[in-house]
Every structure is written in C-alpha cells, then in structure tokens.
Amino acid sequence: MGEDGPVTEARTAPRLIATDLDGTLLCSGGTVSDRTAAALAAAEAAGVQVVFVTGRPPRWMQQLSPHIGGHGVAICSNGGAIVDVRRGGELIEYFPMPAETSLAVVEALRTELPGTAFAFEYADGWAREPEYEVLMWGDAEVREIAPAERLLADGGPVRGLFKLLAKHPDLDPDTFLSEARTAAGHLAEITRSAPIPLLEISAPGVTKASTLARWCAEHGIDRSEVVAFGDMPNDLEMLAWAGTAYAVANAHPQVLAAVAQHTVSNEDDGVAAVVEELLRLL
C-alpha cells in the first residue's frame, strides 16, 4: 500500500469484482459511501461485473439493491445461497447441508464446547434454539424457536438448511473457531466473520470461493479475471482463489498475513480506491 492508498499490480482491468460487505465494502453501520457507490456504478458501466460475496443471509440484503448492478445477484451465507437482491433476496440457488450432517455437527460442538447454542438459516427463513441470544436485527423474522433436535427432525420446520450458526457465551472468537474445527471440521465447513464467538457453518465443500467459482464458470469468467476483497477468515478461500486479491487495512491478522496486496480500510473506501485504479486500465 502506497502513502496515498493502494497500488494495484494488475496489468489489465478485471471482468468481475467480488467483494465482501461488512468490514470490507460497507462503512460502520452497514452503509455504502458516496465514493464507493460511484465506483461500483462506474465498474458496472464499464462492463465489469460486481458481485457481493457475503456471510449475510438473504434477508439482510434488501437495502443494498441499488448497488448490486444490472444482474442483481449476490452470493450470501458464505456461498450457501445465490440470491436476486432486486427481488427482495429471492433464492436463485442454494446448497443445503443434510439434516444428519447438521445434527452431527450440533452433537460434536455441544460435547466438546459446552454452552454452544445454535440457529439455522434455511430456504423458508430462520430458526433458533431458545439459548441462542439474538444481539442484532432482532427476532422479527424468526420462524421457530425450539431445540435443534426438534427443528432438524424428519418433518421438522428446518428444510433446505444452508447455514448453521453456533454461538458460545464466553470463548475467545478465534479459540472457538479453532476448537470447533478440531471437533467438527471433518463434517462441515466452519468459519467466522463476527467480532463475537459466533461460527458460520456450511455443507462440506461450500465456501465463498466454491460458489463464486461456480458463478464465474457459468459466465465464462476465468479466475485470473477476478479481483476479490475481504477482511475476515470467511474470506480466505475466496481471496486465495481469485486472480488478484486485496485485504482492507482493518482486516483480521490472518487475512493481512495471507494476502499480499492491501488497501486502506473500509472506513476510508479501500475497495473504491482499488476499483478506481483498475478502471483507469480500460
């Protein structure tokens, strides 16, 4: 990163920009700055596709509709779902975790990390256990509150589960991730993006990278033509897969260490700063 901002090593402009949202593209409070909005619009106008690749569930995407571009598509829930943002987060495709796998993960984490509580993002909404404390966005859209075994049982309400959430009351977030991967990493993809001990769990092989790769293949875009941005452990696979990757300055230490190119922080419009440079190559 240069004194005045990021220095891009790209030789040609990309065909697709893949960016995480919270902590990367968005300012604190979840807003899109005027500069960032202008940079995204300019990229789309120049024929560069912008795809949001986020841990957010589909139901948290509606307010971002003006910034998604003509295609209207975002990859949500760490690759678990592809949604049409312009149609209220309507599911286009999702990659479910089998109920038996979900129950095995729940059992493993309860055994090894007592106190863990669970919530469930699925095709028809979201549900949680009574012990799963809701700290943000409230409970307005919760469909069911019950123990995991009842929610995931045959004939139960949770069908088409594409993201399992696990929360612990007091473990260090990175410790929680490490110990959870030891306990259940052979069963599912386990990652984190929040500053609290909250894990995000997907079906085996389902990550931001896997679903982004699928989207790009369907649109004839090679990974070398993708520039990706991120800040947290759930972005690492995507940043490793993309031809060019940037970590924002406020990123988790693991991300800063893993990604060679850095840009300024999300509060300083780090994504926009790189996109503006890339568009000058056109």
Side-chain angles (χ1 to χ4, degrees):
M1 187 164 64
E3 293 182 1
D4 297 322
V7 176
T8 177
E9 296 178 1
R11 295 288 184 262
T12 60
R15 291 184 60 198
L16 186 143
I17 293 166
T19 180
D20 173 55
L21 292 175
D22 298 286
T24 300
L25 183 81
L26 305 182
C27 301
S28 58
T31 59
V32 178
S33 73
D34 291 343
R35 180 184 180 187
T36 295
L40 297 181
E44 289 276 355
V48 181
Q49 193 176 127
V50 176
V51 175
F52 297 155
V53 189
T54 177
R56 287 188 177 207
R59 58 195 168 85
W60 288 5
M61 295 299 295
Q62 287 89 334
Q63 72 270 33
L64 297 168
S65 177
H67 310 291
I68 193 61
H71 53 86
V73 166
I75 295 170
C76 293
S77 299
N78 294 326
I82 302 174
V83 303
D84 188 330
V85 177
R86 294 200 184 282
R87 296 176 66 87
E90 178 181 302
L91 282 175
I92 296 173
E93 188 174 13
Y94 63 96
F95 307 99
M97 185 187 309
E100 59 271 21
T101 301
S102 305
L103 284 168
V105 171
V106 168
E107 181 179 356
L109 296 185
R110 276 189 180 153
T111 300
E112 298 299 326
L113 298 163
T116 302
F118 299 91
F120 311 87
E121 295 282 354
Y122 57 106
D124 291 329
W126 83 288
R128 66 174 177 85
E129 293 192 302
E131 300 80 12
Y132 186 96
E133 184 181 8
V134 178
L135 297 178
M136 58 186 296
W137 302 95
D139 243 2
E141 295 176 310
V142 71
R143 296 290 181 91
E144 301 280 349
I145 301 175
E149 290 77 8
R150 186 192 306 174
L151 294 170
L152 295 170
D154 287 343
V158 176
R159 300 179 184 180
L161 175 71
F162 51 78
K163 186 177 180 182
L164 172 64
L165 297 162
K167 185 182 289 186
H168 197 277
D170 49 35
L171 279 176
D172 168 78
D174 285 326
T175 300
F176 190 27
L177 175 60
S178 175
E179 294 188 4
R181 283 176 168 171
T182 299
H186 61 292
L187 298 170
E189 302 293 336
I190 306 176
T191 190
R192 60 171 288 255
S193 64
I196 62 173
L198 174 65
L199 303 180
E200 303 163 52
I201 305 168
S202 304
V206 175
T207 66
K208 287 188 175 187
S210 69
T211 304
L212 178 61
R214 183 187 182 101
W215 174 263
C216 289
E218 290 173 354
H219 291 80
I221 298 172
D222 188 78
R223 61 189 292 184
S224 65
E225 301 173 302
V226 176
V227 176
F229 299 87
D231 74 308
M232 288 296 282
N234 65 326
D235 296 314
L236 284 169
E237 291 90 351
M238 175 178 73
L239 296 171
W241 178 84
T244 305
Y246 289 87
V248 289
N250 53 290
H252 189 285
Q254 290 179 11
V255 178
L256 291 171
V259 179
Q261 297 192 87
H262 299 169
T263 182
V264 293
S265 74
N266 63 320
E267 298 293 349
D268 293 322
D269 298 312
V271 173
V274 175
V275 171
E276 289 163 356
E277 287 195 31
L278 292 171
L279 292 180
R280 293 189 189 106
L281 299 172
L282 291 175

